[in-house]
Amino acid sequence: MTSFRRWFLAALAASAVKAESVQKPGLQLPPSATVHQAAVKELFVTSYEAYQTYAWGHDDLFPVSKTYFDGRNGWGASIADAMGTMWIMGLTDWFEQAVDHTANTDFTISHTSDTVSLFETTIRYVGGFLSAYELSGEKYPVLVEKAQDLADQMAYAWVEKDQSIPYGFMDFTDHQPTIDTSNIAEAGTLTLEWNRLSQYTGNSTYQTLAEKSVQHMIQMSTPLPGMPAQGINPKTGNSVGGYVTWGGGSDSYFEYLIKYARLTNTDDNSYADAWLTAVDTSMKTLLRFSTVDNWLYLADYDDDKNIRHVGSHLACFYGGNWILGGKLTNNATLVLLGLQLTDACWNTYASTATGIGPEVFSYMSSDGNYTGNTAPNQEQLDFYHKHGFYITAPDYILRPEVLESNFYAWRVTGDPKYFNNAVSATISFEKYLSTTVAYTGIYDVNNADSDKIDDMESFWFAEVLKYLYLTFDDPDHISLDEYVFNTECHPFKAPPAKSNYGSGSGPRPVAWQPFSPESAPLPSVSPIPVFIMNLNS
């Protein structure tokens, strides 16, 4: 047999081999898992019973004042976000109650005077309904109907026929968008949900619109290879400013690139290649180690081409995303880096008085400590020298990202430290977030006696409690080899994995184009903390 033929047959055999599994084969839970899982379920039950009593049908419960608030158009965001978790926990009576509420809610109009956020409505409502439809064995088609009602209204955000980027907010009354700038996370976090909606309705329009937006961003000129600027103008399709970050305003654009490739098994490698290019650029340009304890983080890159040594709870999804993407692209280095990023984010929990991580923090590295803000004061410096980071916004609003990455790290490695991290978080939440009726955020994670933030965000049900519950659950239940989670932790059933994702030829940045961003005001990124603090002041 010629050497070429041997090589060809070996290559053919290799291409037929299924990709390495994402989850660690044979992963076993510690005997204590059932106890901790029951504790998380109790957190959910207590929280949802309080919601039913004081806020039923509304978006959020205010558990301190025992009232409610409608910040997501008054459709019952907590119900939509809780449905999948209910099913996974076996709370079927509540699930059917939630389906009944959904069936009797008109989603073609906003029940408040607010405009409708494409991003929030897609990830919470559309994603929540479609995931619940799947998880429950497709027995409740009304969930697809209601998701379609929402998407049909949101499709008006593409005003012009040739417009690639949707406007971020819609007025459902007159089908008019708010003409304003947007960001790549808002425009690039529709693909999973709108693809699945097209699948269940037989209408390819939803998938086409979502893909058109992402493809535009993949091909546009960028300040760094494969990394679009955070801001974008839907009217022109151009970047607004040159700020690059894995944090808020950009985060889930990068997250969905590799997840969309996995969920659809598309033959279009541009999604996985764009993700790999962004990761490669991040390794070369943004990756930093703290000067204390060598914690690994991804810095930001600002409009003036400065590195900003900042971190955030929102950005801490990146550890889990790199772990997942590293597995799907058969790149052990990315898995290792993802684990290190996850460990650094967990350190923000382990270092505080409550054992809960802050909203925003900063680092110092060998190339400095520039953050774009004021220099750290003495108290912050002392904290840094002890913990390897310092806190710049100490609030916690029930965010999930650190526990999200910790969940991926546990399922992929089986290292007991990740299981124990989840145990620690569960205990801290019970101890420091409890009110007389439910659980809520706190203003200062480094103060064991911190005042409470009077709001129980819907993602407490969708994300925090689901990630914790699944960490303590049978690894074969909602396996990472069988499901892809949207950014709100709503799982979608995925086909068997391909052998590899991406073209396999390394980073593939688009042909170089001059980067000439527009200058315009950007929308606030994840404004929940400021809003809630003002509301409760």
Side-chain angles (χ1 to χ4, degrees), residues 218 225-226 253 257-258 261 267-280 329 500-510:
I218 289 174
Y253 163 74
L257 289 173
I258 191 64
D267 292 329
D268 183 349
N269 286 325
S270 65
Y271 298 95
D273 286 344
W275 183 83
L276 283 164
T277 303
V279 168
D280 181 71
T329 58
N500 190 47
Y501 291 84
S503 60
S505 57
R508 297 171 63 88
V510 297

Side-chain angles (χ1 to χ4, degrees), residues 37-330:
Q37 189 180 52
V40 175
K41 185 173 182 178
E42 184 58 31
L43 289 176
F44 183 96
V45 168
T46 299
S47 300
Y48 200 74
E49 284 180 340
Y51 169 78
Q52 289 173 311
T53 301
Y54 300 104
W56 175 252
H58 296 280
D59 293 334
D60 288 3
L61 167 67
F62 282 180
V64 176
S65 55
K66 300 179 185 177
T67 186
Y68 58 82
F69 179 73
D70 287 323
R72 300 292 170 209
N73 306 101
W75 293 314
S78 288
I79 297 171
D81 259 350
M83 291 176 74
T85 312
M86 290 176 198
W87 187 269
I88 288 169
M89 290 182 172
L91 300 169
T92 53
D93 287 347
W94 282 356
F95 182 88
E96 291 179 358
Q97 179 193 49
V99 171
D100 184 65
H101 167 83
T102 303
N104 289 287
T105 299
D106 185 354
F107 291 95
T108 65
I109 59 172
S110 174
H111 296 178
T112 69
S113 60
D114 302 308
T115 54
V116 177
S117 164
L118 263 69
F119 170 75
E120 298 289 358
T121 303
T122 292
I123 67 172
R124 301 189 195 215
Y125 290 105
V126 176
F129 295 157
L130 295 178
S131 176
Y133 174 69
E134 286 189 5
L135 289 169
S136 57
E138 303 182 8
K139 292 185 291 187
Y140 302 94
V142 68
L143 297 174
V144 176
E145 295 169 15
K146 296 301 182 176
Q148 186 173 20
D149 285 347
L150 287 164
D152 284 346
Q153 295 287 81
M154 291 189 287
Y156 288 99
W158 286 264
V159 177
E160 305 295 337
K161 187 175 182 180
D162 60 349
Q163 182 178 332
S164 296
I165 304 299
Y167 287 103
F169 291 84
M170 282 293 307
D171 187 333
F172 275 16
T173 302
D174 58 10
H175 299 159
Q176 294 300 308
T178 301
I179 306 301
D180 201 354
T181 54
S182 186
N183 58 57
I184 62 172
E186 289 185 352
T189 312
L190 309 173
T191 49
L192 299 187
E193 299 85 355
W194 288 43
N195 168 277
R196 198 44 57 104
L197 182 60
S198 283
Q199 177 179 318
Y200 288 127
T201 61
N203 184 343
S204 64
T205 300
Y206 312 112
Q207 175 180 335
T208 300
L209 288 172
E211 286 184 346
K212 180 170 68 169
S213 181
V214 174
Q215 284 296 325
H216 176 90
M217 290 182 279
I218 289 174
Q219 299 299 325
M220 70 190 302
S221 63
T222 57
L224 293 174
M227 302 195 76
Q230 181 188 59
I232 195 166
N233 183 348
K235 184 175 183 179
T236 63
N238 296 330
S239 292
V240 177
Y243 200 93
V244 175
T245 178
W246 281 80
S250 298
D251 43 10
S252 46
Y253 163 74
F254 297 116
E255 175 189 356
Y256 271 32
L257 289 173
I258 191 64
K259 286 186 172 181
Y260 191 61
R262 172 64 187 96
L263 181 67
T264 63
N265 279 349
T266 175
D267 292 329
D268 183 349
N269 286 325
S270 65
Y271 298 95
D273 286 344
W275 183 83
L276 283 164
T277 303
V279 168
D280 181 71
T281 292
S282 298
M283 292 169 64
K284 293 173 179 175
T285 308
L286 305 180
L287 212 59
R288 293 293 188 278
F289 288 92
S290 65
T291 56
V292 173
D293 293 335
N294 278 329
W295 297 113
L296 187 67
Y297 63 97
L298 297 179
D300 287 0
Y301 179 89
D302 70 16
D303 297 72
D304 298 318
K305 302 182 180 180
N306 295 316
I307 291 294
R308 295 196 181 190
H309 300 271
V310 295
S312 68
H313 205 296
L314 274 171
C316 278
F317 86 96
Y318 52 38
N321 189 242
W322 283 37
I323 293 168
L324 174 65
K327 280 291 187 178
L328 295 177
T329 58
N330 301 311

